[in-house]
Amino acid sequence: VKLTGVVLEEESIEPLPFVTIHVLKNEVLVFETMSDFDGQFIAEVSQEGEYEIRFSSVGFQPEKHLNVPIKNIPIPGFMEVFLKPTTICINDHFCHEDCDCVHYELRTIKNPSSQFTAISGKIIDSESGEPLPFVNIIVEKNGVQITGGQTDFDGNYIIKPVAVGEYILKASSIGSHPRQKEIKVEEGLI
């Protein structure tokens, strides 16, 4: 059972990539996805019904849609979502070019049966030790953006699937200087 749609920036009507989309039923998360490079998404659930769908992205006001019907029909339902730009301040602290205020932490988990893995970690402010929510995470290979994600309220992120290889992991947030780190994703690790 599917619902398709597109997420657009309200003022310019441009597609918004990497918007986090949560589908909930009775306040329980049942599906999570992100919009693609063209702002499009597909939400899949196991049964028909009415769902709450939440959209969030750094630099935009979160959007919540209640009682969205998702039905098992030959042509899935389609929705357009418009996000309003906003600015955020993380703990009243803004980073400057000479300040190394973002700390990266990468975790690995054994997964012996897959060529595709995931990258997960936590981003914290290196001065205060506080987790940084809504930080955009971009994974690049040879200068090309492969995938991306966003930290949650506790600064945690997970990006999947990612093929084995070497990447550049970039983190950026409004009001802070972007940071990047070279990472190596090995077979059997996530």
Side-chain angles (χ1 to χ4, degrees):
V1 184
K2 296 180 183 180
L3 173 71
T4 62
V6 63
V7 184
L8 305 166
E9 196 269 337
E10 184 179 74
E11 295 174 5
S12 68
I13 316 299
E14 291 292 320
L16 290 175
F18 305 121
V19 173
T20 301
I21 301 158
H22 291 130
V23 180
L24 297 96
K25 181 75 169 179
N26 301 324
E27 294 296 319
V28 176
L29 181 67
V30 295
F31 187 78
E32 178 179 22
T33 190
M34 295 183 84
S35 60
D36 65 15
F37 288 103
D38 299 318
Q40 298 180 6
F41 67 91
I42 298 173
E44 297 184 66
V45 294
S46 60
Q47 58 185 341
E48 289 186 354
E50 291 186 344
Y51 293 84
E52 176 181 332
I53 305 180
R54 298 177 185 172
F55 301 86
S56 61
S57 184
V58 172
F60 294 89
Q61 294 177 6
E63 185 78 23
K64 184 189 305 187
H65 292 260
L66 302 173
N67 303 318
V68 176
I70 301 180
K71 298 182 179 185
N72 190 14
I73 54 177
I75 300 175
F78 185 84
M79 72 185 301
E80 286 184 329
V81 177
F82 297 91
L83 295 185
K84 297 176 186 175
T86 188
T87 57
I88 61 170
C89 175
I90 301 171
N91 298 332
D92 296 323
H93 179 74
F94 291 95
C95 299
H96 305 286
E97 232 173 274
D98 57 349
C99 168
D100 187 18
C101 68
V102 175
H103 169 75
Y104 294 90
E105 175 187 331
L106 294 174
R107 296 185 292 260
T108 58
I109 304 167
K110 292 285 183 185
N111 183 7
S113 65
S114 177
Q115 290 182 340
F116 288 93
T117 61
I119 300 169
S120 67
K122 183 171 191 161
I123 297 188
I124 59 170
D125 184 307
S126 63
E127 291 181 4
S128 69
E130 294 293 316
L132 295 175
F134 308 114
V135 175
N136 284 327
I137 309 293
I138 302 298
V139 178
E140 285 187 359
K141 185 173 182 101
N142 301 324
V144 176
Q145 186 172 334
I146 304 298
T147 188
Q150 185 179 66
T151 60
D152 62 16
F153 287 106
D154 298 318
N156 297 308
Y157 65 91
I158 186 164
I159 301 169
K160 57 184 178 179
V162 179
V164 170
E166 296 182 4
Y167 299 93
I168 301 291
L169 186 69
K170 293 184 175 184
S172 63
S173 181
I174 293 174
S176 68
H177 184 68
R179 299 288 181 213
Q180 68 181 38
K181 180 176 183 135
E182 292 182 20
I183 62 169
K184 184 174 184 179
V185 177
E186 298 178 347
E187 188 171 344
L189 296 176
I190 40 179

Short mmCIF file of all heavy atoms in Angstrom, two decimals, residues 37-100:
data_model
loop_
_atom_site.label_atom_id
_atom_site.label_comp_id
_atom_site.label_asym_id
_atom_site.label_seq_id
_atom_site.Cartn_x
_atom_site.Cartn_y
_atom_site.Cartn_z
N PHE A 37 16.40 13.40 -5.02
CA PHE A 37 16.96 14.64 -5.58
C PHE A 37 15.89 15.54 -6.18
O PHE A 37 16.06 16.75 -6.25
CB PHE A 37 18.02 14.32 -6.65
CG PHE A 37 19.29 13.77 -6.09
CD1 PHE A 37 19.57 12.43 -6.18
CD2 PHE A 37 20.21 14.60 -5.48
CE1 PHE A 37 20.75 11.91 -5.66
CE2 PHE A 37 21.38 14.10 -4.95
CZ PHE A 37 21.66 12.75 -5.05
N ASP A 38 14.80 14.96 -6.66
CA ASP A 38 13.71 15.73 -7.27
C ASP A 38 12.60 16.05 -6.28
O ASP A 38 11.51 16.46 -6.68
CB ASP A 38 13.13 14.96 -8.45
CG ASP A 38 14.18 14.73 -9.54
OD1 ASP A 38 14.95 15.67 -9.83
OD2 ASP A 38 14.23 13.61 -10.07
N GLY A 39 12.83 15.82 -4.97
CA GLY A 39 11.84 16.10 -3.94
C GLY A 39 10.75 15.05 -3.86
O GLY A 39 9.82 15.18 -3.07
N GLN A 40 10.84 13.97 -4.65
CA GLN A 40 9.79 12.96 -4.67
C GLN A 40 10.02 11.89 -3.60
O GLN A 40 11.15 11.64 -3.19
CB GLN A 40 9.73 12.31 -6.04
CG GLN A 40 9.37 13.31 -7.12
CD GLN A 40 9.31 12.68 -8.50
OE1 GLN A 40 9.42 11.47 -8.67
NE2 GLN A 40 9.12 13.52 -9.51
N PHE A 41 8.93 11.30 -3.15
CA PHE A 41 9.02 10.25 -2.15
C PHE A 41 7.94 9.20 -2.38
O PHE A 41 6.93 9.46 -3.04
CB PHE A 41 8.89 10.82 -0.73
CG PHE A 41 7.54 11.39 -0.42
CD1 PHE A 41 6.55 10.60 0.16
CD2 PHE A 41 7.25 12.71 -0.70
CE1 PHE A 41 5.30 11.12 0.45
CE2 PHE A 41 5.99 13.25 -0.42
CZ PHE A 41 5.02 12.45 0.16
N ILE A 42 8.17 8.02 -1.81
CA ILE A 42 7.17 6.95 -1.78
C ILE A 42 7.09 6.46 -0.34
O ILE A 42 8.11 6.11 0.24
CB ILE A 42 7.55 5.78 -2.71
CG1 ILE A 42 7.63 6.24 -4.16
CG2 ILE A 42 6.55 4.63 -2.56
CD1 ILE A 42 8.15 5.18 -5.12
N ALA A 43 5.89 6.46 0.21
CA ALA A 43 5.66 5.94 1.56
C ALA A 43 4.90 4.62 1.42
O ALA A 43 3.85 4.57 0.78
CB ALA A 43 4.86 6.93 2.39
N GLU A 44 5.45 3.56 1.99
CA GLU A 44 4.82 2.24 1.92
C GLU A 44 4.43 1.78 3.31
O GLU A 44 5.23 1.83 4.23
CB GLU A 44 5.77 1.23 1.29
CG GLU A 44 6.13 1.57 -0.14
CD GLU A 44 6.98 0.50 -0.77
OE1 GLU A 44 6.47 -0.63 -0.95
OE2 GLU A 44 8.14 0.80 -1.08
N VAL A 45 3.19 1.32 3.44
CA VAL A 45 2.71 0.79 4.71
C VAL A 45 2.07 -0.58 4.46
O VAL A 45 1.76 -0.93 3.33
CB VAL A 45 1.69 1.75 5.38
CG1 VAL A 45 2.37 3.05 5.78
CG2 VAL A 45 0.51 2.05 4.47
N SER A 46 1.88 -1.34 5.53
CA SER A 46 1.40 -2.72 5.36
C SER A 46 -0.10 -2.82 5.17
O SER A 46 -0.58 -3.81 4.63
CB SER A 46 1.83 -3.57 6.56
OG SER A 46 1.29 -3.03 7.75
N GLN A 47 -0.85 -1.79 5.61
CA GLN A 47 -2.30 -1.89 5.46
C GLN A 47 -2.92 -0.52 5.19
O GLN A 47 -2.35 0.50 5.54
CB GLN A 47 -2.93 -2.52 6.69
CG GLN A 47 -2.65 -1.80 7.99
CD GLN A 47 -3.20 -2.56 9.18
OE1 GLN A 47 -4.06 -3.42 9.05
NE2 GLN A 47 -2.71 -2.25 10.36
N GLU A 48 -4.08 -0.55 4.56
CA GLU A 48 -4.81 0.69 4.28
C GLU A 48 -5.19 1.37 5.58
O GLU A 48 -5.32 0.74 6.62
CB GLU A 48 -6.10 0.38 3.50
CG GLU A 48 -5.90 -0.06 2.10
CD GLU A 48 -7.23 -0.22 1.34
OE1 GLU A 48 -8.30 -0.10 1.96
OE2 GLU A 48 -7.17 -0.47 0.14
N GLY A 49 -5.41 2.67 5.49
CA GLY A 49 -5.88 3.40 6.66
C GLY A 49 -5.50 4.87 6.57
O GLY A 49 -5.00 5.34 5.55
N GLU A 50 -5.77 5.57 7.67
CA GLU A 50 -5.41 6.98 7.76
C GLU A 50 -4.17 7.09 8.63
O GLU A 50 -4.09 6.49 9.71
CB GLU A 50 -6.57 7.79 8.34
CG GLU A 50 -7.74 7.88 7.39
CD GLU A 50 -8.83 8.82 7.89
OE1 GLU A 50 -8.83 9.16 9.09
OE2 GLU A 50 -9.68 9.19 7.07
N TYR A 51 -3.21 7.88 8.17
CA TYR A 51 -1.93 8.00 8.82
C TYR A 51 -1.58 9.46 9.05
O TYR A 51 -2.07 10.35 8.36
CB TYR A 51 -0.83 7.36 7.97
CG TYR A 51 -0.97 5.86 7.85
CD1 TYR A 51 -1.82 5.29 6.91
CD2 TYR A 51 -0.27 5.01 8.70
CE1 TYR A 51 -1.96 3.91 6.80
CE2 TYR A 51 -0.40 3.64 8.60
CZ TYR A 51 -1.24 3.10 7.65
OH TYR A 51 -1.38 1.73 7.56
N GLU A 52 -0.70 9.69 10.01
CA GLU A 52 -0.11 11.01 10.22
C GLU A 52 1.24 11.00 9.49
O GLU A 52 2.01 10.05 9.64
CB GLU A 52 0.11 11.27 11.71
CG GLU A 52 0.80 12.57 12.00
CD GLU A 52 1.04 12.79 13.48
OE1 GLU A 52 0.28 12.26 14.31
OE2 GLU A 52 2.01 13.49 13.80
N ILE A 53 1.52 12.04 8.71
CA ILE A 53 2.78 12.11 7.98
C ILE A 53 3.48 13.41 8.38
O ILE A 53 2.88 14.49 8.29
CB ILE A 53 2.58 12.03 6.47
CG1 ILE A 53 1.79 10.75 6.11
CG2 ILE A 53 3.92 12.04 5.75
CD1 ILE A 53 1.52 10.55 4.66
N ARG A 54 4.73 13.27 8.81
CA ARG A 54 5.54 14.41 9.24
C ARG A 54 6.71 14.62 8.29
O ARG A 54 7.36 13.67 7.90
CB ARG A 54 6.06 14.19 10.66
CG ARG A 54 4.97 14.06 11.69
CD ARG A 54 5.56 13.78 13.05
NE ARG A 54 4.50 13.53 14.02
CZ ARG A 54 4.72 13.12 15.26
NH1 ARG A 54 5.96 12.91 15.68
NH2 ARG A 54 3.72 12.92 16.08
N PHE A 55 6.96 15.88 7.95
CA PHE A 55 8.04 16.25 7.04
C PHE A 55 8.97 17.22 7.78
O PHE A 55 8.49 18.18 8.39
CB PHE A 55 7.48 16.95 5.80
CG PHE A 55 6.51 16.11 5.03
CD1 PHE A 55 5.16 16.06 5.37
CD2 PHE A 55 6.94 15.34 3.96
CE1 PHE A 55 4.26 15.29 4.67
CE2 PHE A 55 6.05 14.55 3.25
CZ PHE A 55 4.71 14.52 3.61
N SER A 56 10.29 16.98 7.70
CA SER A 56 11.22 17.89 8.36
C SER A 56 12.53 17.97 7.57
O SER A 56 12.97 16.99 6.96
CB SER A 56 11.51 17.45 9.79
OG SER A 56 12.11 16.18 9.82
N SER A 57 13.12 19.15 7.58
CA SER A 57 14.40 19.38 6.91
C SER A 57 15.04 20.61 7.53
O SER A 57 14.34 21.55 7.93
CB SER A 57 14.19 19.59 5.42
OG SER A 57 15.43 19.72 4.76
N VAL A 58 16.36 20.62 7.61
CA VAL A 58 17.07 21.76 8.16
C VAL A 58 16.75 23.01 7.35
O VAL A 58 16.74 22.98 6.13
CB VAL A 58 18.60 21.51 8.14
CG1 VAL A 58 19.36 22.76 8.52
CG2 VAL A 58 18.95 20.38 9.07
N GLY A 59 16.45 24.09 8.06
CA GLY A 59 16.15 25.35 7.40
C GLY A 59 14.70 25.53 7.02
O GLY A 59 14.35 26.53 6.41
N PHE A 60 13.84 24.57 7.40
CA PHE A 60 12.43 24.64 7.05
C PHE A 60 11.58 24.28 8.26
O PHE A 60 11.97 23.46 9.10
CB PHE A 60 12.10 23.69 5.89
CG PHE A 60 12.76 24.08 4.62
CD1 PHE A 60 14.04 23.60 4.31
CD2 PHE A 60 12.16 24.96 3.74
CE1 PHE A 60 14.67 23.98 3.14
CE2 PHE A 60 12.79 25.34 2.57
CZ PHE A 60 14.06 24.86 2.27
N GLN A 61 10.41 24.92 8.33
CA GLN A 61 9.48 24.59 9.41
C GLN A 61 8.94 23.19 9.19
O GLN A 61 8.56 22.84 8.07
CB GLN A 61 8.33 25.59 9.44
CG GLN A 61 8.75 26.99 9.80
CD GLN A 61 7.58 27.97 9.74
OE1 GLN A 61 6.44 27.60 9.53
NE2 GLN A 61 7.89 29.23 9.93
N PRO A 62 8.89 22.37 10.25
CA PRO A 62 8.31 21.02 10.10
C PRO A 62 6.85 21.12 9.69
O PRO A 62 6.15 22.08 10.02
CB PRO A 62 8.44 20.41 11.49
CG PRO A 62 9.29 21.32 12.28
CD PRO A 62 9.32 22.64 11.61
N GLU A 63 6.40 20.14 8.96
CA GLU A 63 5.02 20.10 8.47
C GLU A 63 4.40 18.78 8.90
O GLU A 63 5.02 17.73 8.80
CB GLU A 63 5.03 20.22 6.94
CG GLU A 63 3.68 20.30 6.29
CD GLU A 63 3.05 21.68 6.40
OE1 GLU A 63 3.77 22.68 6.58
OE2 GLU A 63 1.82 21.73 6.31
N LYS A 64 3.16 18.84 9.38
CA LYS A 64 2.46 17.64 9.84
C LYS A 64 1.12 17.57 9.13
O LYS A 64 0.38 18.55 9.08
CB LYS A 64 2.24 17.71 11.35
CG LYS A 64 1.61 16.48 11.94
CD LYS A 64 1.19 16.64 13.40
CE LYS A 64 2.26 17.09 14.32
NZ LYS A 64 1.84 17.07 15.74
N HIS A 65 0.81 16.39 8.56
CA HIS A 65 -0.49 16.16 7.91
C HIS A 65 -1.18 15.03 8.65
O HIS A 65 -0.66 13.92 8.75
CB HIS A 65 -0.30 15.81 6.43
CG HIS A 65 0.22 16.96 5.62
ND1 HIS A 65 -0.59 17.74 4.86
CD2 HIS A 65 1.47 17.47 5.49
CE1 HIS A 65 0.14 18.68 4.27
NE2 HIS A 65 1.40 18.53 4.65
N LEU A 66 -2.39 15.31 9.14
CA LEU A 66 -3.16 14.31 9.89
C LEU A 66 -4.18 13.63 9.00
O LEU A 66 -4.63 14.20 8.01
CB LEU A 66 -3.87 14.98 11.07
CG LEU A 66 -2.98 15.71 12.07
CD1 LEU A 66 -3.83 16.47 13.07
CD2 LEU A 66 -2.05 14.75 12.77
N ASN A 67 -4.55 12.40 9.35
CA ASN A 67 -5.61 11.66 8.68
C ASN A 67 -5.41 11.56 7.16
O ASN A 67 -6.36 11.73 6.39
CB ASN A 67 -6.97 12.26 9.00
CG ASN A 67 -7.23 12.32 10.48
OD1 ASN A 67 -6.92 11.38 11.21
ND2 ASN A 67 -7.77 13.43 10.95
N VAL A 68 -4.19 11.28 6.74
CA VAL A 68 -3.89 11.10 5.31
C VAL A 68 -4.28 9.68 4.92
O VAL A 68 -3.75 8.72 5.47
CB VAL A 68 -2.40 11.34 5.01
CG1 VAL A 68 -2.10 11.08 3.55
CG2 VAL A 68 -2.00 12.76 5.41
N PRO A 69 -5.23 9.53 3.97
CA PRO A 69 -5.62 8.17 3.58
C PRO A 69 -4.57 7.53 2.67
O PRO A 69 -4.09 8.14 1.73
CB PRO A 69 -6.93 8.40 2.82
CG PRO A 69 -6.85 9.80 2.31
CD PRO A 69 -6.00 10.56 3.29
N ILE A 70 -4.21 6.30 3.00
CA ILE A 70 -3.33 5.51 2.14
C ILE A 70 -4.12 4.25 1.81
O ILE A 70 -4.49 3.48 2.69
CB ILE A 70 -2.00 5.18 2.83
CG1 ILE A 70 -1.26 6.47 3.21
CG2 ILE A 70 -1.13 4.33 1.90
CD1 ILE A 70 0.07 6.26 3.90
N LYS A 71 -4.38 4.08 0.50
CA LYS A 71 -5.25 2.98 0.06
C LYS A 71 -4.54 2.07 -0.92
O LYS A 71 -3.64 2.49 -1.64
CB LYS A 71 -6.51 3.56 -0.58
CG LYS A 71 -7.33 4.39 0.37
CD LYS A 71 -8.59 4.91 -0.28
CE LYS A 71 -9.38 5.71 0.74
NZ LYS A 71 -10.65 6.14 0.24
N ASN A 72 -5.00 0.84 -0.98
CA ASN A 72 -4.45 -0.15 -1.90
C ASN A 72 -5.23 -0.08 -3.21
O ASN A 72 -6.19 -0.80 -3.43
CB ASN A 72 -4.55 -1.55 -1.28
CG ASN A 72 -3.79 -2.58 -2.09
OD1 ASN A 72 -2.99 -2.23 -2.96
ND2 ASN A 72 -4.04 -3.84 -1.82
N ILE A 73 -4.78 0.84 -4.08
CA ILE A 73 -5.42 1.03 -5.39
C ILE A 73 -4.34 0.96 -6.46
O ILE A 73 -3.16 1.15 -6.17
CB ILE A 73 -6.20 2.37 -5.45
CG1 ILE A 73 -5.28 3.54 -5.06
CG2 ILE A 73 -7.42 2.32 -4.53
CD1 ILE A 73 -5.94 4.90 -5.15
N PRO A 74 -4.71 0.67 -7.73
CA PRO A 74 -3.70 0.51 -8.79
C PRO A 74 -2.78 1.72 -8.96
O PRO A 74 -1.60 1.58 -9.17
CB PRO A 74 -4.53 0.29 -10.06
CG PRO A 74 -5.84 -0.23 -9.57
CD PRO A 74 -6.05 0.39 -8.22
N ILE A 75 -3.32 2.93 -8.84
CA ILE A 75 -2.50 4.14 -8.94
C ILE A 75 -2.45 4.74 -7.54
O ILE A 75 -3.48 5.17 -7.01
CB ILE A 75 -3.09 5.14 -9.94
CG1 ILE A 75 -3.15 4.50 -11.33
CG2 ILE A 75 -2.26 6.42 -9.96
CD1 ILE A 75 -3.82 5.35 -12.37
N PRO A 76 -1.25 4.76 -6.90
CA PRO A 76 -1.17 5.26 -5.53
C PRO A 76 -1.60 6.72 -5.43
O PRO A 76 -1.51 7.48 -6.40
CB PRO A 76 0.31 5.12 -5.19
CG PRO A 76 0.95 4.38 -6.29
CD PRO A 76 0.02 4.38 -7.45
N GLY A 77 -2.05 7.10 -4.23
CA GLY A 77 -2.39 8.49 -3.97
C GLY A 77 -1.16 9.37 -4.12
O GLY A 77 -0.03 8.90 -4.02
N PHE A 78 -1.36 10.67 -4.38
CA PHE A 78 -0.26 11.60 -4.58
C PHE A 78 -0.52 12.84 -3.74
O PHE A 78 -1.65 13.34 -3.70
CB PHE A 78 -0.15 11.98 -6.06
CG PHE A 78 1.04 12.85 -6.36
CD1 PHE A 78 2.28 12.27 -6.57
CD2 PHE A 78 0.91 14.23 -6.40
CE1 PHE A 78 3.39 13.08 -6.84
CE2 PHE A 78 2.01 15.03 -6.68
CZ PHE A 78 3.25 14.45 -6.90
N MET A 79 0.52 13.33 -3.08
CA MET A 79 0.35 14.57 -2.31
C MET A 79 1.50 15.52 -2.59
O MET A 79 2.63 15.10 -2.83
CB MET A 79 0.20 14.28 -0.81
CG MET A 79 1.44 13.83 -0.09
SD MET A 79 1.16 13.38 1.67
CE MET A 79 0.52 14.85 2.39
N GLU A 80 1.19 16.81 -2.58
CA GLU A 80 2.20 17.86 -2.68
C GLU A 80 2.32 18.49 -1.31
O GLU A 80 1.32 18.82 -0.68
CB GLU A 80 1.80 18.93 -3.69
CG GLU A 80 1.91 18.52 -5.12
CD GLU A 80 1.59 19.67 -6.07
OE1 GLU A 80 0.77 20.53 -5.72
OE2 GLU A 80 2.17 19.68 -7.14
N VAL A 81 3.56 18.65 -0.87
CA VAL A 81 3.82 19.24 0.44
C VAL A 81 4.72 20.44 0.22
O VAL A 81 5.72 20.37 -0.50
CB VAL A 81 4.51 18.22 1.37
CG1 VAL A 81 4.84 18.85 2.70
CG2 VAL A 81 3.64 17.00 1.54
N PHE A 82 4.37 21.56 0.84
CA PHE A 82 5.15 22.79 0.72
C PHE A 82 5.74 23.13 2.09
O PHE A 82 5.00 23.27 3.06
CB PHE A 82 4.26 23.94 0.23
CG PHE A 82 3.72 23.70 -1.15
CD1 PHE A 82 2.49 23.07 -1.32
CD2 PHE A 82 4.44 24.07 -2.26
CE1 PHE A 82 1.98 22.84 -2.59
CE2 PHE A 82 3.94 23.84 -3.54
CZ PHE A 82 2.71 23.22 -3.71
N LEU A 83 7.08 23.23 2.14
CA LEU A 83 7.75 23.58 3.40
C LEU A 83 8.15 25.04 3.36
O LEU A 83 8.65 25.54 2.35
CB LEU A 83 8.97 22.70 3.63
CG LEU A 83 8.72 21.21 3.83
CD1 LEU A 83 10.02 20.49 4.18
CD2 LEU A 83 7.68 20.95 4.90
N LYS A 84 7.95 25.71 4.51
CA LYS A 84 8.29 27.13 4.64
C LYS A 84 9.71 27.26 5.18
O LYS A 84 10.06 26.62 6.17
CB LYS A 84 7.33 27.81 5.62
CG LYS A 84 5.90 27.80 5.19
CD LYS A 84 5.01 28.40 6.26
CE LYS A 84 3.56 28.25 5.85
NZ LYS A 84 2.64 28.71 6.89
N PRO A 85 10.53 28.12 4.55
CA PRO A 85 11.88 28.34 5.05
C PRO A 85 11.85 28.97 6.44
O PRO A 85 10.95 29.73 6.78
CB PRO A 85 12.49 29.32 4.05
CG PRO A 85 11.62 29.27 2.85
CD PRO A 85 10.26 28.87 3.34
N THR A 86 12.86 28.65 7.22
CA THR A 86 13.02 29.24 8.55
C THR A 86 14.50 29.23 8.89
O THR A 86 15.31 28.70 8.14
CB THR A 86 12.22 28.47 9.61
OG1 THR A 86 12.26 29.19 10.83
CG2 THR A 86 12.75 27.08 9.84
N THR A 87 14.86 29.80 9.99
CA THR A 87 16.24 29.70 10.47
C THR A 87 16.20 29.11 11.86
O THR A 87 15.20 29.22 12.58
CB THR A 87 16.92 31.08 10.53
OG1 THR A 87 16.15 31.93 11.37
CG2 THR A 87 17.05 31.69 9.15
N ILE A 88 17.29 28.45 12.23
CA ILE A 88 17.36 27.88 13.57
C ILE A 88 18.65 28.32 14.24
O ILE A 88 19.63 28.65 13.59
CB ILE A 88 17.30 26.34 13.55
CG1 ILE A 88 18.49 25.76 12.77
CG2 ILE A 88 16.00 25.83 13.02
CD1 ILE A 88 18.63 24.27 12.91
N CYS A 89 18.61 28.36 15.54
CA CYS A 89 19.79 28.65 16.33
C CYS A 89 19.97 27.47 17.28
O CYS A 89 19.04 27.11 18.00
CB CYS A 89 19.59 29.94 17.11
SG CYS A 89 20.93 30.31 18.24
N ILE A 90 21.12 26.85 17.26
CA ILE A 90 21.36 25.69 18.11
C ILE A 90 22.04 26.16 19.38
O ILE A 90 23.19 26.59 19.37
CB ILE A 90 22.23 24.65 17.38
CG1 ILE A 90 21.52 24.22 16.10
CG2 ILE A 90 22.54 23.48 18.27
CD1 ILE A 90 22.35 23.37 15.20
N ASN A 91 21.30 26.11 20.49
CA ASN A 91 21.82 26.49 21.80
C ASN A 91 22.48 27.87 21.81
O ASN A 91 23.48 28.09 22.46
CB ASN A 91 22.83 25.45 22.30
CG ASN A 91 22.19 24.10 22.48
OD1 ASN A 91 21.01 24.00 22.74
ND2 ASN A 91 22.98 23.05 22.34
N ASP A 92 21.92 28.81 21.05
CA ASP A 92 22.47 30.16 20.96
C ASP A 92 23.95 30.18 20.63
O ASP A 92 24.69 31.05 21.05
CB ASP A 92 22.23 30.93 22.28
CG ASP A 92 20.75 31.13 22.55
OD1 ASP A 92 20.01 31.34 21.57
OD2 ASP A 92 20.35 31.06 23.71
N HIS A 93 24.42 29.18 19.90
CA HIS A 93 25.84 29.11 19.57
C HIS A 93 25.99 29.00 18.05
O HIS A 93 25.44 28.10 17.44
CB HIS A 93 26.48 27.89 20.23
CG HIS A 93 27.93 27.74 19.91
ND1 HIS A 93 28.89 28.54 20.46
CD2 HIS A 93 28.57 26.90 19.07
CE1 HIS A 93 30.07 28.19 19.98
NE2 HIS A 93 29.90 27.19 19.14
N PHE A 94 26.72 29.91 17.48
CA PHE A 94 27.00 29.87 16.07
C PHE A 94 28.49 29.64 15.87
O PHE A 94 29.31 30.21 16.57
CB PHE A 94 26.58 31.18 15.38
CG PHE A 94 25.10 31.35 15.36
CD1 PHE A 94 24.46 32.09 16.33
CD2 PHE A 94 24.33 30.74 14.38
CE1 PHE A 94 23.10 32.24 16.32
CE2 PHE A 94 22.96 30.88 14.37
CZ PHE A 94 22.35 31.64 15.34
N CYS A 95 28.84 28.80 14.93
CA CYS A 95 30.24 28.46 14.68
C CYS A 95 30.85 29.46 13.72
O CYS A 95 30.18 30.01 12.86
CB CYS A 95 30.35 27.07 14.09
SG CYS A 95 29.70 25.82 15.19
N HIS A 96 32.12 29.66 13.88
CA HIS A 96 32.87 30.52 12.98
C HIS A 96 33.92 29.68 12.27
O HIS A 96 34.24 28.58 12.69
CB HIS A 96 33.53 31.66 13.77
CG HIS A 96 32.54 32.44 14.57
ND1 HIS A 96 31.66 33.32 14.00
CD2 HIS A 96 32.26 32.43 15.90
CE1 HIS A 96 30.89 33.85 14.94
NE2 HIS A 96 31.24 33.31 16.10
N GLU A 97 34.49 30.22 11.19
CA GLU A 97 35.42 29.45 10.39
C GLU A 97 36.60 28.92 11.20
O GLU A 97 37.09 27.83 10.98
CB GLU A 97 35.95 30.31 9.24
CG GLU A 97 35.79 29.63 7.91
CD GLU A 97 36.15 30.55 6.78
OE1 GLU A 97 35.27 31.31 6.35
OE2 GLU A 97 37.31 30.50 6.35
N ASP A 98 37.06 29.69 12.19
CA ASP A 98 38.21 29.28 12.97
C ASP A 98 37.84 28.41 14.17
O ASP A 98 38.68 28.01 14.95
CB ASP A 98 39.02 30.49 13.43
CG ASP A 98 38.17 31.47 14.24
OD1 ASP A 98 36.93 31.31 14.28
OD2 ASP A 98 38.76 32.38 14.84
N CYS A 99 36.57 28.09 14.31
CA CYS A 99 36.08 27.31 15.45
C CYS A 99 35.76 25.89 14.99
O CYS A 99 34.97 25.69 14.09
CB CYS A 99 34.83 27.96 16.02
SG CYS A 99 33.94 26.95 17.20
N ASP A 100 36.35 24.91 15.63
CA ASP A 100 36.07 23.52 15.29
C ASP A 100 34.98 23.02 16.23
O ASP A 100 35.23 22.32 17.20
CB ASP A 100 37.34 22.68 15.44
CG ASP A 100 37.14 21.26 14.94
OD1 ASP A 100 36.18 21.02 14.20
OD2 ASP A 100 37.96 20.40 15.31
#
